[in-house]
Amino acid sequence: MSDAGNPVLIEIIRNGILATTGEMKTNLTRTAYNMIIYEALDFTVGLFTEHGETISIGLGLPMFIRGMAQTVKAKISHFGIADIHPGDILITNDPYITGSHLNHITLTMPIFHGDELIAFACCMAHWLDVGGTISHVTTDIYQEGLQIPMLKYQRRGVVNQDIVDIIAMNVRMPNLALGDLRAQVTAVVTGERRYGELVRRYGIRPIRAAIDALMDQSEAEARANTLTIPDGVYEAESFMDDDGVRIGEPIPIRVRVEVSGERMTIDLSAVADQVGGFYNSGIATGIACAQLAYKCLTTPTVYPINDGSFRSLDIVIPPGTFISAERPAPMAWWMTYPMTVIDTIFKALAPAIPDRTIAGHYADLTVGFIQGLSPKTGRFFLAGLGVPGGGWGAKSTEDGVSATICINDGDTHNTPIEQMESRFPVIVHSYRLRPDSGGPGRYRGGLGAEHVVEARCDMSLTTTIERTLCRPWGLAGGHAGQGNQVRLRRDGRWIDDLPNGKLGGARIRAGERFALASGGGGGYGDPRSRDPAAVVHDVLEGYVSTEAARDNYGVAIDADGRIDVAATAALRAQ
């Protein structure tokens, strides 16, 4: 057997590739300046072939599954192979290419073997500030900050200082932005070095043969698992609250999924047109919606994540929708609507594969951004509060998970309260699960979480929270979970009847509080068929109130926390 077909060598190379992206990730987090990178992990790193196909993306934001590859391909097309040299680092944040927003800066470094271009190392990471407005919903891309076209940040190892100077002049905190830029350089240089070592050790032909084999393995498993889904056409609908401009005007989402043998077609052509507010994303994100859903259903545990997993998937998505928006559509909060698109794809397939789908989840970051002048230093501060996690939908066999990050953001972490309180003028009074937020069902939806925060100085609060009205739906008779919510405490009372979860630079005075709450997941199955012992456990743990136990589950609990058998039987007989 040749080295190219040696399964042992293929497995060694698989793990070498995973180790490379893992080290890229580690080096980025160790050198980044902003908590959104080193704590929240809002980034993704990856390796790509010389043609821009995905070899491996490190665990990070699942929605970058397509945006990074599209960006690498766009850079190849823009510069041409002849103008890409060893030591170059290519930069852009063009959201119509990346699919995301201006805050996501993407660096790409070519990898050479001798004089031959063999691959690319790439890093897409979130900068907290890229200029532009930060206190209200934007209505075009020009309000959102610095746009960086496809340029060479570094040419043959020499940094273009002009780019550095332009960035520094257009952001509020240049030391942080340039620190994160240097951290990203560290990440792609790590990828270039380690992949080069892998090639020098095993040879370029065995490496390429192993990559082909890994992609073929991913494809074979995806096709085999698609065959287990009954042929047919499946459809579902949902909606978003509004676009932040036309308040109270819902944004419809309609998806169509067709399964035929070992192929699946996900048709997203009936989602709403691009919207006036900043909840749009580029077509790379529309493609990623379909690919992410498909991978969850067919190859969820196959690594590295590569393009082989999607060869049996066809995607229909025209330009001009809110997940395929065109210039100059605003894009600042690009990630919110796609979460519900993915949720709706699962909803469509639930009747066909109830054992592989879940009820709706809270589908939002539920973060708030505060800004003001620090009473300690007198300097401007900008911080994101969260990410709290929220409730995921129940499955046909188990309860949904609680306080877990939404599907688009995968490996993102919440920011430790101790870090927030030490760096910014806030006191976090509570960070807790929301009782009764999980949708009732035979299997209960996961619980959402809530931050209650006190301002220690005057500041502004901006929130962009969705799914306050489109509550996470239940399946097979399960009930919906609670929606996401924003509350303000003014003059000693809570204001909890806001029209949506969107605040544009709301003034918070020193001593006032606000609460950011994530929704719960939808339930699965009839709540009255839930094991009464499980209901009692939920009540004792504080997940479900005694009133909800009685009204939703038909379980009566006495003062000692035990089941009232006669009363429960009567309730369930009604």
Side-chain angles (χ1 to χ4, degrees):
M1 180 183 295
S2 68
D3 284 346
N6 184 337
V8 175
L9 181 59
I10 290 172
E11 193 64 19
I12 290 171
I13 292 171
R14 178 205 300 270
N15 284 279
I17 290 168
L18 290 170
T20 297
T21 51
E23 188 174 349
M24 291 170 69
K25 176 179 180 177
T26 298
N27 287 348
L28 177 63
T29 57
R30 292 179 66 182
T31 55
Y33 278 46
N34 273 298
M35 284 195 295
I36 198 166
I37 295 179
Y38 67 75
E39 287 288 358
L41 307 184
D42 191 347
F43 66 85
T44 301
V45 296
L47 295 170
F48 301 84
T49 69
E50 67 273 26
H51 305 297
E53 295 174 301
T54 305
I55 297 172
S56 172
I57 60 171
L59 298 181
L61 273 68
M63 288 308 294
F64 290 171
I65 199 169
R66 184 47 37 194
M68 291 177 69
Q70 296 292 94
T71 303
V72 173
K73 291 176 181 177
K75 288 175 177 175
I76 295 170
S77 176
H78 178 79
F79 291 102
I81 296 297
D83 192 28
I84 298 177
H85 308 285
D88 288 354
I89 296 180
L90 317 177
I91 187 172
T92 190
N93 70 340
D94 185 340
Y96 304 98
I97 297 172
T98 67
S100 53
H101 57 176
L102 296 177
N103 299 74
H104 281 144
I105 310 296
T106 304
L107 298 189
T108 307
M109 188 171 194
I111 304 172
F112 282 80
H113 181 60
D115 295 329
E116 182 184 7
L117 175 63
I118 59 170
F120 291 91
C122 190
C123 174
M124 180 186 286
H126 185 116
W127 290 13
L128 193 60
D129 175 48
V130 288
T133 183
I134 51 176
S135 60
H136 61 80
V137 175
T138 54
T139 54
D140 64 46
I141 193 66
Y142 306 106
Q143 302 171 39
E144 296 182 353
L146 174 65
Q147 299 184 61
I148 304 174
M150 284 181 282
L151 301 171
K152 288 193 176 184
Y153 165 76
Q154 184 172 294
R155 185 183 294 272
R156 299 181 189 265
V158 179
V159 171
N160 184 341
Q161 187 61 36
D162 293 340
I163 294 177
V164 176
D165 294 342
I166 289 171
I167 291 172
M169 187 171 283
N170 281 275
V171 300
R172 296 170 178 86
M173 297 167 287
N175 61 317
L176 300 183
L178 297 180
D180 288 340
L181 175 60
R182 292 190 294 270
Q184 287 186 256
V185 171
T186 299
V188 295
V189 169
T190 299
E192 187 264 350
R193 182 173 62 249
R194 293 297 187 228
Y195 191 80
E197 291 172 355
L198 202 63
V199 170
R200 288 189 292 275
R201 181 170 185 177
Y202 297 105
I204 185 61
R205 291 182 64 186
I207 291 287
R208 283 177 167 159
I211 290 170
D212 288 342
L214 293 172
M215 289 194 183
D216 290 345
Q217 290 171 11
S218 297
E219 177 185 4
E221 183 154 347
R223 289 182 181 275
N225 284 323
T226 303
L227 275 170
T228 66
I229 303 174
D231 285 359
V233 175
Y234 307 98
E235 298 179 323
E237 298 184 7
S238 62
F239 67 94
M240 307 305 294
D241 294 349
D242 56 53
D243 66 358
V245 176
R246 297 180 175 87
I247 306 300
E249 186 175 312
I251 312 298
I253 297 173
R254 301 179 183 88
V255 305
R256 181 179 185 274
V257 181
E258 182 175 352
V259 180
S260 178
E262 61 183 17
R263 298 199 67 83
M264 178 183 290
T265 299
I266 296 179
D267 187 343
L268 303 176
S269 56
V271 303
D273 292 340
Q274 61 190 56
V275 295
F278 57 22
Y279 292 91
N280 300 292
S281 53
I283 195 167
T285 291
I287 297 170
C289 288
Q291 290 187 335
L292 177 53
Y294 187 66
K295 181 159 183 64
C296 288
L297 295 169
T298 59
T299 56
T301 59
V302 174
Y303 296 102
I305 300 168
N306 59 54
D307 280 353
S309 295
F310 311 115
R311 290 173 179 166
S312 50
L313 172 66
D314 299 310
I315 303 167
V316 180
I317 176 169
T321 73
F322 66 69
I323 49 173
S324 59
E326 298 182 295
R327 191 177 294 275
M331 313 277 274
W333 214 242
W334 69 281
M335 77 295 291
T336 298
Y337 285 9
M339 301 184 209
T340 298
V341 173
I342 297 167
D343 243 14
T344 310
I345 294 172
F346 294 149
K347 183 180 181 181
L349 285 165
I353 45 173
D355 59 325
R356 275 182 270 173
T357 53
I358 64 174
H361 85 309
Y362 76 111
D364 197 277
L365 292 175
T366 53
V367 298
F369 290 92
I370 56 172
Q371 59 173 302
L373 296 178
S374 170
K376 287 184 179 179
T377 65
R379 294 181 179 177
F380 174 81
F381 68 84
L382 172 64
L385 291 163
V387 179
W392 280 55
K395 303 177 185 178
S396 61
T397 56
E398 61 184 270
D399 293 345
V401 294
S402 301
T404 300
I405 192 66
C406 49
I407 194 165
N408 281 17
D409 278 59
D411 203 28
T412 302
H413 294 181
N414 61 355
T415 302
I417 289 170
E418 295 81 1
Q419 289 242 29
M420 288 301 304
E421 292 183 332
S422 66
R423 295 190 59 180
F424 302 105
V426 296
I427 298 174
V428 180
H429 282 268
S430 66
Y431 176 28
R432 66 185 185 104
L433 295 175
R434 296 176 68 191
D436 292 331
S437 58
R442 179 181 180 86
Y443 295 101
R444 173 183 46 74
L447 272 62
E450 181 183 62
H451 278 110
V452 176
V453 182
E454 179 182 330
R456 298 180 64 190
C457 70
D458 291 353
M459 60 181 64
S460 295
L461 170 67
T462 297
T463 63
T464 52
I465 293 171
E466 256 289 344
R467 292 288 289 271
T468 65
L469 302 176
C470 180
R471 296 167 56 190
W473 50 78
L475 293 176
H479 297 185
Q482 290 184 7
N484 303 310
Q485 187 182 41
V486 179
R487 298 188 295 144
L488 301 175
R489 187 170 179 82
R490 297 267 172 82
D491 300 322
R493 67 180 187 89
W494 282 104
I495 301 171
D496 54 11
D497 57 351
L498 300 174
N500 56 24
K502 304 173 177 71
L503 295 174
R507 194 66 178 163
I508 308 295
R509 294 173 294 186
E512 291 184 334
R513 299 183 187 183
F514 58 91
L516 308 174
S518 58
Y524 195 104
D526 182 359
R528 299 282 171 133
S529 64
R530 184 170 177 80
D531 182 353
V535 178
V536 172
H537 172 269
D538 286 348
V539 171
L540 295 177
E541 292 294 329
Y543 302 157
V544 173
S545 65
T546 55
E547 294 78 13
R550 181 182 184 88
D551 297 341
N552 295 325
Y553 293 97
V555 175
I557 301 174
D558 63 24
D560 296 322
R562 293 177 297 200
I563 300 172
D564 184 328
V565 177
T568 295
L571 286 169
R572 291 196 161 189
Q574 291 177 359

